[in-house]
Amino acid sequence: VVSTQSTGGSQHGGSSYTSGYSASGYYTPTDEYTYVESGSQSTKGVCGLANLGNTCFMNSALQCLSNTAPLTEYFLLGKFKNELNKNNPLGMKGQIAEQYGKLIKEMWSGNISAISPKNFKWVLGKYAPQFSGFQQHDSQELLSFLLDGLHEDLNRVAKKVYIEEKAEGDVSRPDFEVANEAWERHLGRNRSVIVDLFQGQLKSTLVCPTCSKISVTFDPFMYLSLPLPISNHRIINLVLVRCNPLGSIDSIPPPMRYSIKVSKRGVVEELKSSLSKITGIEQVRFVMADVYGSRIYTFLNDARAVSGIRETDLTVVYELPLPIPDDSTRLHLIFRKDVEQKDPYLSGPRINKSLYGLPFVLLIQVKNTTQRHLYDMVWVRVN
């Protein structure tokens, strides 16, 4: 929807705004920023930026710069007006700096809680067509262009003279001398508040593997790319189920949950080893299983990679008694209950069998285990 109101303002829903569209439908920047949330006073600098399509990438960069105190003070005090370089062929005729200064002034007025930066975006798109639409872009790309644009618009060097690059390979001279010379050459063509606040110098040393010649250079920089640390470990949640001694009907402790930190490239054996150190239980007693739908889906062998264990998996470690006789049998104990469900085609409810709870593992000797003995073992476990 294109507004045909090009001057003046209007009131709508408690917020005032000034249209930046002409009758022809083409946007033209106005003298002031629009979308002012009327009402109570706000804290200076605490001002939201309206999203113009998918311009959150731009808004985040602007908020970062707005909260860079020395740069914001420079614009609020109007110092930039005396340093505008509108004749710089590498600049943007001072328009980026002027629009950014107006935006900062509004954001730090203390009278506005939200603002639409469409005037700034219009000028930005004028000199950088890739940002003229409403698509998503990289915030770092926008920040890089904006700082370069502000630097050239505010460059104090009115006429850039040609400066020949010098080879800086003399390692016999102190670094600070070589670095100062390189920095003075850089300032001969680049001198602005952006250089003062955001630029630094990096030393690079190259050694020829053939002749062992050393080359040292000092280069200006404004951005440093730092890799985000990637953790090589992960946390796996386990449930430890203690055992009855073989054939015992003595009480046992309830299942206990543990969180184990292991290498992402580790195996199940390492997981068992870590659990053994925490609990003091011998590792050979552990058997690990993947439980799904209240039944044992599969047992995990020691060589299996932990990368195959998902965060949503229920991994249960069962403790087995030692020693394990050759004629012992492992029983899987699952729990089932009757669930009544209404059936529109039957006169009464339908009874479904449903599994629930945590399955258990019992180790018994068939020849020495009576039905009554087995019943007691199960009862101790569920009790």
Side-chain angles (χ1 to χ4, degrees):
V1 178
V2 177
S3 171
T4 58
Q5 181 180 2
S6 58
T7 59
S10 62
Q11 297 292 328
H12 179 70
S15 299
S16 62
Y17 65 93
T18 304
S19 173
Y21 290 93
S22 64
S24 62
Y26 292 98
Y27 178 77
T28 55
T30 57
D31 292 335
E32 61 183 61
Y33 281 88
T34 58
Y35 190 72
V36 177
E37 289 282 355
S38 61
S40 59
Q41 296 279 326
S42 61
T43 304
K44 291 185 177 182
V46 181
C47 179
L49 295 174
N51 197 7
L52 307 175
N54 292 315
T55 58
C56 52
F57 73 95
M58 180 184 73
N59 293 348
S60 61
L62 290 174
Q63 291 286 9
C64 288
L65 288 182
S66 172
N67 286 276
T68 303
L71 182 64
T72 295
E73 181 181 2
Y74 170 85
F75 277 94
L76 290 178
L77 295 178
K79 295 181 180 179
F80 74 97
K81 296 179 181 179
N82 299 324
E83 297 185 345
L84 283 175
N85 189 345
K86 297 184 178 182
N87 298 320
N88 185 355
L90 299 179
M92 303 169 196
K93 300 180 181 180
Q95 294 184 18
I96 280 289
E98 288 178 330
Q99 287 296 332
Y100 181 78
K102 291 179 181 179
L103 178 62
I104 290 297
K105 183 178 179 180
E106 293 290 339
M107 292 177 66
W108 286 81
S109 66
N111 300 322
I112 301 172
S113 60
I115 195 172
S116 174
K118 58 184 180 182
N119 290 350
F120 173 83
K121 185 181 181 303
W122 183 87
V123 174
L124 182 70
K126 177 181 177 181
Y127 292 98
Q130 66 269 30
F131 300 123
S132 60
F134 301 98
Q135 295 79 22
Q136 182 65 269
H137 292 277
D138 183 67
S139 184
Q140 164 62 20
E141 183 183 354
L142 181 281
L143 185 63
S144 175
F145 178 83
L146 177 55
L147 288 179
D148 287 340
L150 289 175
H151 161 64
E152 296 297 350
D153 274 2
L154 300 170
N155 199 341
R156 305 180 189 112
V157 181
K159 185 177 180 180
K160 296 185 179 183
V161 297
Y162 173 75
I163 300 177
E164 184 178 357
E165 291 291 334
K166 296 179 61 177
E168 303 159 0
D170 188 1
V171 294
S172 62
R173 299 176 59 196
D175 279 353
F176 73 90
E177 290 185 5
V178 182
N180 284 339
E181 290 179 1
W183 188 248
E184 287 300 323
R185 289 196 298 271
H186 176 64
L187 294 182
R189 294 176 59 87
N190 303 277
R191 190 183 293 267
S192 70
V193 65
I194 303 301
V195 174
D196 298 340
L197 298 178
F198 295 98
Q199 292 191 5
Q201 199 176 52
L202 286 177
K203 176 185 176 181
S204 301
T205 303
L206 296 177
V207 181
C208 178
T210 303
C211 63
S212 299
K213 180 181 178 180
I214 301 177
S215 175
V216 178
T217 59
F218 291 87
D219 301 310
F221 73 93
M222 189 154 57
Y223 315 100
L224 285 177
S225 298
L226 301 178
L228 295 176
I230 300 177
S231 175
N232 294 322
H233 295 80
R234 60 173 296 195
I235 302 296
I236 296 182
N237 295 316
L238 306 172
V239 175
L240 174 62
V241 178
R242 301 297 302 272
C243 73
N244 308 65
L246 187 64
S248 171
I249 60 173
D250 296 332
S251 61
I252 54 177
M256 183 71 68
R257 183 180 295 274
Y258 292 88
S259 295
I260 307 296
K261 183 178 181 180
V262 294
S263 171
K264 290 182 177 179
R265 298 183 178 180
V267 294
V268 168
E269 184 180 10
E270 299 174 24
L271 198 56
K272 290 181 179 179
S273 176
S274 298
L275 183 62
S276 175
K277 294 177 181 178
I278 295 175
T279 61
I281 303 173
E282 297 175 86
Q283 182 179 336
V284 294
R285 289 177 173 265
F286 293 147
V287 58
M288 192 173 296
D290 178 19
V291 175
Y292 179 77
S294 295
R295 68 168 70 236
I296 296 176
Y297 180 73
T298 184
F299 285 96
L300 310 179
N301 61 60
D302 288 349
R304 178 165 178 171
V306 296
S307 59
I309 302 177
R310 298 172 299 181
E311 293 184 2
T312 56
D313 289 348
L314 175 58
T315 306
V316 181
V317 180
Y318 295 98
E319 178 195 6
L320 300 180
L322 290 180
I324 301 177
D326 294 336
D327 60 346
S328 61
T329 299
R330 188 169 63 192
L331 297 181
H332 300 171
L333 180 64
I334 60 176
F335 300 94
R336 189 175 65 185
K337 61 181 177 181
D338 294 338
V339 179
E340 292 187 0
Q341 289 185 336
K342 294 183 179 180
D343 192 326
Y345 302 102
L346 299 176
S347 58
R350 182 175 59 183
I351 306 299
N352 289 331
K353 305 294 183 181
S354 175
L355 298 182
Y356 71 99
L358 191 67
F360 294 111
V361 174
L362 296 178
L363 205 61
I364 65 170
Q365 288 178 291
V366 177
K367 64 179 182 180
N368 297 329
T369 303
T370 64
Q371 185 176 357
R372 179 63 189 181
H373 194 191
L374 180 60
Y375 178 86
D376 291 338
M377 292 176 62
V378 172
W379 178 251
V380 170
R381 169 59 65 184
V382 299
N383 196 39

